Amino acid sequence: MTEEEKTPLNSLTELDFLPDWDHTNTYQKKEKHHQDRKKVVHKKSKYTKKEKNEFVFQVSISQIVNESVKKQLRSDAITRDVGVMAAEILKRQAFALKVQFKERDKNFIINKKNGEIYLNEEDAITELIKDSKFVEIKKGEKIQLKGNFQYIYKCNKTGNFYPPTSHDAFDNLIETTLMKSKVNFRKKDYIASLSKSTDAEEIKVLQETDLHKTTFSMDETNQFFSMDALVKYLKEVNFQKFFTRSNTIKLTAKSINDISKYSIIKKNFSLISKERIKNDISKVLLIALKRANFHTFISKKVIYISAYKPKKYIEEEMNQCCKLITQRCGKQGAPIKELLGEYENFKKKKIEILQEIKWLLKEGILRQYSDGNVELT
């Protein structure tokens, strides 16, 4: 099966199966007991609290993966263990998840324009503001930097100088720098990274620099002298123009593991055991293949799937080679290597025997397992 690098959300096939991941025991009971000859003495039970999961997860398999599985089953006609197939899908992260906040009043934020998903309003607005086409920076009045500064601030990365925080242009200059550089809009972090400078030459350079206050605007009618004011306007007045809220989203397993902004979802998903995820992928896969009219059966507590249903056959209607193959297999079965090793008895070349076996498999007369064993259906 081909690993999906990134599956578009609208191509995900929802299957009617909701894993019982939401009802995980919160506590795990561990009891130690000591038994003497006459009686059992139980010590107090110890409880280990498990980390609480913030989300409910529902597994699904995309149409691409479904079709890939069906194509392979039809092509090689091999009868496969559903659990083994599910383990491969899990390993390749070739499945998707419906992710839902447990708390109904919590929502994901979705950008209406590009469909990007965020876990909170702050991150959503930050990414929107970083878009060069969204916020226009306009030069305003000239900044006066007169006076005897005891110190100034310096950015060691860019070499930019800033007046003391008490100056009324300090915030505006910081925000203008951040907007023009398109870095993550975390003003507090940037300010904390600045170093103080008492160097007279550097103070002089700052005072002689031609600096202007700037305004930030989204359109011609709304202009703001600070990014805080613009963010507040977006949150309180214009949020629904750019974003929608949803308690539930769909993501591929690969995106959850690879994209850093989904780290909280990844952490919560990791609380679920891989064995449990594999079992639920098995159930979803089984539902999809049954709907496609594939044949399923249980042998020694293992669920198998085949693209071809068992079929009764009339031996007299088969050629001599097919008769010998079916007789050799019987209900006990025979490894395909042994069948090919008897090409002299079958009076056929090995490639011809393989072709006959493939025909018998697709007719539903024989079934071949992944280990190479062939038996009558």
Side-chain angles (χ1 to χ4, degrees):
M1 288 174 281
T2 303
E3 181 176 354
E4 294 178 80
E5 292 298 324
K6 186 174 181 181
T7 305
L9 296 182
N10 59 11
S11 74
L12 296 177
T13 303
E14 284 300 319
L15 299 173
D16 298 329
F17 174 69
L18 180 61
D20 193 27
W21 294 342
D22 190 20
H23 305 291
T24 307
N25 291 332
T26 308
Y27 297 94
Q28 183 180 6
K29 188 174 181 180
K30 294 181 179 179
E31 291 189 355
K32 293 182 179 180
H33 57 85
H34 172 73
Q35 183 176 5
D36 59 23
R37 294 179 181 178
K38 294 183 178 180
K39 63 180 180 178
V40 177
V41 179
H42 290 278
K43 292 185 178 181
K44 289 184 178 180
S45 301
K46 293 183 179 180
Y47 293 86
T48 304
K49 189 172 182 179
K50 288 187 176 181
E51 196 170 352
K52 187 178 180 181
N53 204 319
E54 297 179 52
F55 306 100
V56 177
F57 295 96
Q58 178 182 349
V59 72
S60 65
I61 299 175
S62 73
Q63 191 65 30
I64 294 173
V65 175
N66 270 325
E67 292 304 318
S68 177
V69 170
K70 287 188 280 188
K71 182 179 179 181
Q72 185 169 358
L73 287 168
R74 290 185 180 119
S75 175
D76 60 23
I78 292 175
T79 297
R80 286 180 166 82
D81 178 344
V82 175
V84 172
M85 296 171 69
E88 182 68 12
I89 291 172
L90 175 60
K91 179 183 176 182
R92 297 188 180 211
Q93 302 179 51
F95 62 99
L97 290 165
K98 178 180 176 183
V99 187
Q100 181 180 21
F101 275 109
K102 280 187 177 180
E103 296 182 28
R104 293 294 179 178
D105 59 341
K106 283 190 175 183
N107 290 294
F108 297 97
I109 309 300
I110 304 170
N111 186 308
K112 288 183 176 180
K113 184 179 179 181
N114 57 26
E116 286 292 324
I117 299 167
Y118 305 93
L119 273 72
N120 55 66
E121 290 183 357
E122 183 182 359
D123 288 344
I125 291 175
T126 296
E127 289 299 313
L128 183 66
I129 289 173
K130 283 168 62 178
D131 186 345
S132 59
K133 297 178 181 178
F134 181 73
V135 178
E136 184 180 358
I137 302 173
K138 294 181 179 180
K139 185 187 291 187
E141 64 184 49
K142 187 174 181 178
I143 298 173
Q144 300 296 324
L145 294 172
K146 296 179 180 180
N148 296 320
F149 293 152
Q150 298 298 315
Y151 66 90
I152 60 172
Y153 285 100
K154 179 181 179 180
C155 177
N156 295 317
K157 289 184 178 180
T158 63
N160 290 349
F161 297 117
Y162 302 98
T165 54
S166 58
H167 196 284
D168 63 357
F170 177 81
D171 284 335
N172 187 268
L173 289 170
I174 293 291
E175 291 173 349
T176 302
T177 298
L178 293 173
M179 284 302 300
K180 286 183 176 180
S181 62
K182 299 301 173 187
V183 297
N184 284 333
F185 192 74
R186 296 288 186 271
K187 189 167 69 175
K188 289 182 179 179
D189 295 338
Y190 182 70
I191 292 172
S193 72
L194 301 177
S195 59
K196 281 186 178 181
S197 172
T198 57
D199 185 275
E201 287 298 321
E202 291 183 339
I203 293 173
K204 184 179 179 181
V205 169
L206 172 64
Q207 291 179 324
E208 292 178 351
T209 303
D210 189 21
L211 297 173
H212 293 78
K213 280 190 176 181
T214 56
T215 59
F216 309 99
S217 61
M218 298 182 298
D219 49 52
E220 294 181 358
T221 58
N222 294 289
Q223 295 190 18
F224 306 90
F225 288 98
S226 74
M227 289 304 301
D228 289 340
L230 187 148
V231 169
K232 184 178 180 182
Y233 175 78
L234 275 173
K235 282 185 176 181
E236 298 178 358
V237 180
N238 226 10
F239 190 83
Q240 292 184 353
K241 179 179 178 180
F242 303 100
F243 302 101
T244 184
R245 292 181 173 87
S246 177
N247 183 253
T248 304
I249 57 171
K250 298 173 188 175
L251 295 170
T252 62
K254 188 169 179 59
S255 66
I256 291 174
N257 279 287
D258 294 350
I259 300 176
S260 59
K261 68 178 178 180
Y262 299 139
S263 58
I264 295 176
I265 297 176
K266 179 181 178 180
K267 180 182 177 183
N268 279 263
F269 189 56
S270 68
L271 299 176
I272 303 165
S273 71
K274 288 187 177 181
E275 185 65 23
R276 198 165 191 177
I277 300 167
K278 188 197 79 172
N279 290 340
D280 289 315
I281 292 173
S282 295
K283 293 175 184 178
V284 172
L285 187 61
L286 203 56
I287 290 171
L289 294 175
K290 280 184 175 180
R291 286 177 178 173
N293 206 30
F294 280 56
H295 176 63
T296 62
F297 65 96
I298 299 174
S299 176
K300 297 179 181 179
K301 297 183 179 180
V302 176
I303 302 174
Y304 290 96
I305 190 84
S306 172
Y308 304 99
K309 292 182 179 293
K311 180 181 177 181
K312 292 183 179 180
Y313 65 96
I314 301 173
E315 191 174 278
E316 289 74 18
E317 295 180 357
M318 294 191 296
N319 63 35
Q320 186 62 25
C321 183
C322 287
K323 288 179 184 178
L324 291 172
I325 291 171
T326 54
Q327 290 170 5
R328 176 67 181 80
C329 288
K331 282 293 180 183
Q332 297 300 317
I336 195 165
K337 287 184 178 180
E338 288 186 11
L339 294 175
L340 294 176
E342 298 185 18
Y343 64 94
E344 291 182 354
N345 295 333
F346 294 159
K347 297 180 180 179
K348 291 277 188 178
K349 295 179 181 179
K350 290 184 179 181
I351 186 66
E352 292 175 323
I353 296 172
L354 281 173
Q355 290 171 348
E356 297 290 7
I357 291 173
K358 180 63 73 69
W359 180 83
L360 290 166
L361 292 172
K362 291 191 174 183
E363 283 295 307
I365 297 169
L366 294 180
R367 68 167 61 103
Q368 179 185 342
Y369 295 95
S370 298
D371 62 3
N373 196 54
V374 182
E375 66 182 24
L376 287 171
T377 57

